[in-house]
Amino acid sequence: MKIGSTIAYYVLKTIWLSYSIIPLPVMYVISDILFYPFYYLIRYRRKIVRKNLRIAFPEKEEKELIRLERRFYHFFLDVLFEMNKYASISERGIRKRMSFKNTEEVNSILESGDSISLYVGHYCNWEWVSSMPLHLYKGSLPAQIYHKLRNKAVDKLLYQNRKRFGAINVEMKETLRWVNEQLSNNRVTITGYIADQSPRKKHAHYFIDFFNRSTPVLTGTEKITKRYKLKAYYLDIKRIKRGYYEASFIKLHDNPSSLPDFELTNIYYQHLENMIRRQPELYLWSHNRFKHSKRKEETNESNI
């Protein structure tokens, strides 16, 4: 980083760490207070959130959508504070607040020498998922794919935050090279992909039915999984109560390599939509997910 960015990083890091020592119950009180100016004055991406909710839940009346929208913003602020808390939370604390089920099944696969592609979504606290290495077979390399931010100071801060409990950060454009390098050297990996991001328009080659819309999706995770004959799992997450989450590993298919093209991606999105419908305010509706989508009745030549 340049000198200016380096200085900005250390200033930001000092502030970040200072605020992270605030107890979570106090953070939630602050979150409740900040909701009102954040929602009513700042109105962060309100138009996008409202548009996304209308698309996803056409059966809901406007009043119900607004209540859902308000619950989303309450939760969104909680996640921001929880991200901050992650910078200083103890191993004991994060184990208590972010638990994982079915780890025996996953660890058995890793111990046997097979690597895993783990599909994740922007649901619940996806940042705390990076504590997963605490629960995994120690002979494996747990990694997460991330998109590098333009702001170098913020990017480095989040980079450091995410690797606190042993996760390896792999930049998105380096994914294929990294996976190939590890497997070529007989290293066992479990790599997490937050695969529900929207592709750029020029890369929108495959569309699925996602919340009543023909929506472009990324298919790189499927291609890597099938190319290297990896196991495929999905991480289903529940919010037990404020500040407490439970994640479960769900096998997507016994033999992903045998599936037709895009079928693994379809299966992932079926799980994702079901999870979101369970408690929709816990999804990242502020992301412009449907910007390149089409109505279901429109002909999708990309899938022909």
Side-chain angles (χ1 to χ4, degrees):
M1 292 196 301
K2 294 181 180 180
I3 295 177
S5 296
T6 301
I7 294 174
Y9 165 71
Y10 283 108
V11 170
L12 186 60
K13 182 179 180 180
T14 300
I15 297 172
W16 185 254
L17 291 175
S18 298
Y19 277 100
S20 74
I21 64 176
I22 298 174
L24 262 175
V26 177
M27 285 186 169
Y28 290 138
V29 172
I30 299 172
S31 177
D32 289 339
I33 294 171
L34 290 181
F35 165 77
Y36 295 96
F38 189 74
Y39 182 75
Y40 290 105
L41 298 179
I42 298 174
R43 301 171 66 89
Y44 173 73
R45 295 198 170 192
R46 276 273 296 274
K47 290 183 179 180
I48 291 176
V49 172
R50 184 75 58 89
K51 181 196 76 170
N52 286 343
L53 291 175
R54 282 173 175 160
I55 289 173
F57 304 103
E59 74 282 2
K60 295 184 183 296
E61 296 183 356
E62 191 72 6
K63 288 184 178 179
E64 190 176 358
L65 288 176
I66 292 174
R67 285 195 293 270
L68 177 55
E69 179 182 273
R70 285 167 56 87
R71 291 199 300 269
F72 160 72
Y73 278 102
H74 269 294
F75 175 69
F76 182 75
L77 281 171
D78 279 1
V79 169
L80 294 181
F81 279 101
E82 289 169 3
M83 286 171 59
N84 182 210
K85 187 62 184 177
Y86 195 69
S88 64
I89 194 170
S90 66
E91 178 179 329
R92 180 182 178 184
I94 196 63
R95 281 181 177 273
K96 180 180 177 182
R97 291 181 173 274
M98 184 77 215
S99 62
F100 291 84
K101 296 176 65 178
N102 304 341
T103 53
E104 297 85 0
E105 179 180 334
V106 168
N107 283 329
S108 176
I109 291 172
L110 296 173
E111 287 188 61
S112 71
D114 289 324
S115 291
I116 297 173
S117 289
L118 181 65
Y119 284 80
V120 187
H122 283 97
Y123 187 80
C124 282
N125 190 328
W126 59 91
E127 291 289 340
W128 280 9
V129 169
S130 61
S131 66
M132 187 171 55
L134 296 173
H135 307 266
L136 296 176
Y137 167 57
K138 299 306 178 185
S140 64
L141 289 177
Q144 55 198 0
I145 308 304
Y146 78 99
H147 190 276
K148 196 169 186 176
L149 301 177
R150 292 182 181 180
N151 187 306
K152 293 183 179 180
V154 175
D155 181 72
K156 185 175 180 181
L157 185 72
L158 292 179
Y159 183 95
Q160 297 295 330
N161 218 45
R162 290 166 178 163
K163 73 173 190 175
R164 277 203 66 215
F165 296 106
I168 299 169
N169 295 302
V170 179
E171 190 177 349
M172 186 180 291
K173 66 180 182 180
E174 297 294 326
T175 303
L176 183 59
R177 183 198 62 79
W178 187 85
V179 171
N180 183 68
E181 180 181 337
Q182 307 316 312
L183 298 181
S184 296
N185 288 284
N186 297 316
R187 300 188 184 107
V188 179
T189 65
I190 175 168
T191 307
Y193 302 83
I194 301 185
D196 59 340
Q197 300 178 59
S198 181
R200 294 179 180 178
K201 192 172 184 178
K202 64 180 180 179
H203 296 143
H205 304 307
Y206 182 65
F207 289 68
I208 67 162
D209 178 15
F210 183 57
F211 279 101
N212 310 296
R213 301 282 285 200
S214 181
T215 306
V217 297
L218 296 171
T219 58
T221 305
E222 173 178 331
K223 291 175 182 177
I224 290 173
T225 302
K226 296 174 71 172
R227 175 175 178 176
Y228 293 101
K229 301 186 185 304
L230 307 177
K231 304 297 183 181
Y233 275 77
Y234 173 72
L235 197 66
D236 184 275
I237 310 176
K238 297 178 181 178
R239 192 190 197 197
I240 306 304
K241 59 181 180 178
R242 202 174 194 181
Y244 289 85
Y245 303 90
E246 181 183 86
S248 301
F249 295 95
I250 298 176
K251 184 189 293 184
L252 291 180
H253 194 268
D254 288 326
N255 184 11
S257 299
S258 68
L259 293 172
D261 287 347
F262 310 124
E263 184 60 25
L264 187 61
T265 301
N266 291 340
I267 295 172
Y268 160 62
Y269 269 93
Q270 290 169 8
H271 280 282
L272 179 65
E273 182 169 335
N274 289 338
M275 182 173 70
I276 295 170
R277 288 187 179 278
R278 191 171 63 212
Q279 201 169 355
E281 65 268 25
L282 305 183
Y283 188 59
L284 188 63
W285 296 108
S286 55
H287 174 51
N288 197 6
R289 189 65 189 85
F290 299 106
K291 60 185 175 182
H292 302 311
S293 67
K294 305 175 183 178
R295 297 183 187 278
K296 285 177 64 176
E297 59 269 18
E298 292 182 34
T299 301
N300 175 17
E301 296 182 356
S302 299
N303 284 342
I304 297 176

